[in-house]
Structure formats: C-alpha cells, structure tokens
Amino acid sequence: QVQLVESGGGLVQAGGSLRLSCAASESIQNFDRVAWYWQTPGKQRELVAGLRPDGTTDYHSSVNGRFTISRDRNQVSLEMSRLRVEDTAVYYCNLRYGNSDWYLPAGFWGQGTRVTVSS
C-alpha cells in the first residue's frame, strides 16, 4: 500500500498564495497520472488539477490560470495563487497507475490538507 502525505495547507487571505506538496512512500516516477482533488462538506470530491504522463493537464474551470500542478521525482505540487474564498476545501493528492479517467476513484489517496481562504 502506497502512503501519501500532503502538506502546505493552512489559512490565507483572499488574493494570497499557497503551495501544496504531496510526497509518497515510493517514487512519484512510478505513477502515470497525478492529481489534486478538493472536497467541501456535503459535496463529492472533485478534480482540481490533473497531470497526465504526456504532460497535458486538466484543471477545474474555476482555477484555470490560477493553479498549476507539477511533479518531480519526489513530489507532486500544486501552486495556488489569487486564492478565493470559494477555494476553501480539503485538498487530496491522488496518484494512479495507468490512464483511468479522473472521475474514477482510482489509485492512492492522501489524508487531505485543509485550505481555508478568508475574505
């Protein structure tokens, strides 16, 4: 079982920036797709940003141009800028093998890191 640990969440004012990181118990290079999801109370987990093996990305429409997902050998990162109150959520890192669609709950998940954006 792969263990994931997210970090970097916290409280930030609207307009500010945060950087989330996700480390795993094995090399990030072993995984094909990597992603960040968010979840708010009463709602389903949604894709925030996903990175495919060929380098192409998918972003939630509300974060396009503000968030950037990246990966290296050791971690997956999510750079978040111009944060909005509505970005407040628990963010989860997801690592998966293969090329399954983002809406499928595949792969491995971290425990989540909370991001709170205040007005």
Side-chain angles (χ1 to χ4, degrees):
Q1 184 75 5
V2 178
Q3 305 296 321
L4 279 66
V5 178
E6 299 109 333
S7 60
L11 175 63
V12 63
Q13 282 193 326
S17 300
L18 277 177
R19 183 174 186 266
L20 305 184
S21 296
C22 172
S25 56
E26 61 182 73
S27 174
I28 299 293
Q29 290 180 320
N30 294 344
F31 301 95
D32 298 297
R33 288 192 170 202
V34 300
W36 288 91
Y37 288 72
W38 62 16
Q39 189 169 22
T40 54
K43 292 190 177 181
Q44 287 190 331
R45 201 170 291 186
E46 284 184 302
L47 178 73
V48 178
L51 178 58
R52 300 194 191 91
D54 64 0
T56 57
T57 54
D58 291 295
Y59 290 97
H60 192 282
S61 58
S62 70
V63 309
N64 229 339
R66 300 188 297 120
F67 291 12
T68 303
I69 186 172
S70 62
R71 65 186 290 177
D72 62 25
R73 183 174 183 174
N74 299 314
Q75 64 182 6
V76 180
S77 299
L78 184 67
E79 297 279 356
M80 305 185 294
S81 63
R82 290 179 281 142
L83 282 160
R84 304 170 182 169
V85 171
E86 53 264 37
D87 297 325
T88 296
V90 178
Y91 287 70
Y92 296 90
C93 178
N94 174 244
L95 308 179
R96 54 181 72 191
Y97 304 117
N99 214 24
S100 58
D101 289 333
W102 297 123
Y103 68 86
L104 294 174
F108 304 96
W109 298 86
Q111 80 289 349
T113 185
R114 183 174 299 276
V115 172
T116 303
V117 184
S118 63
S119 59

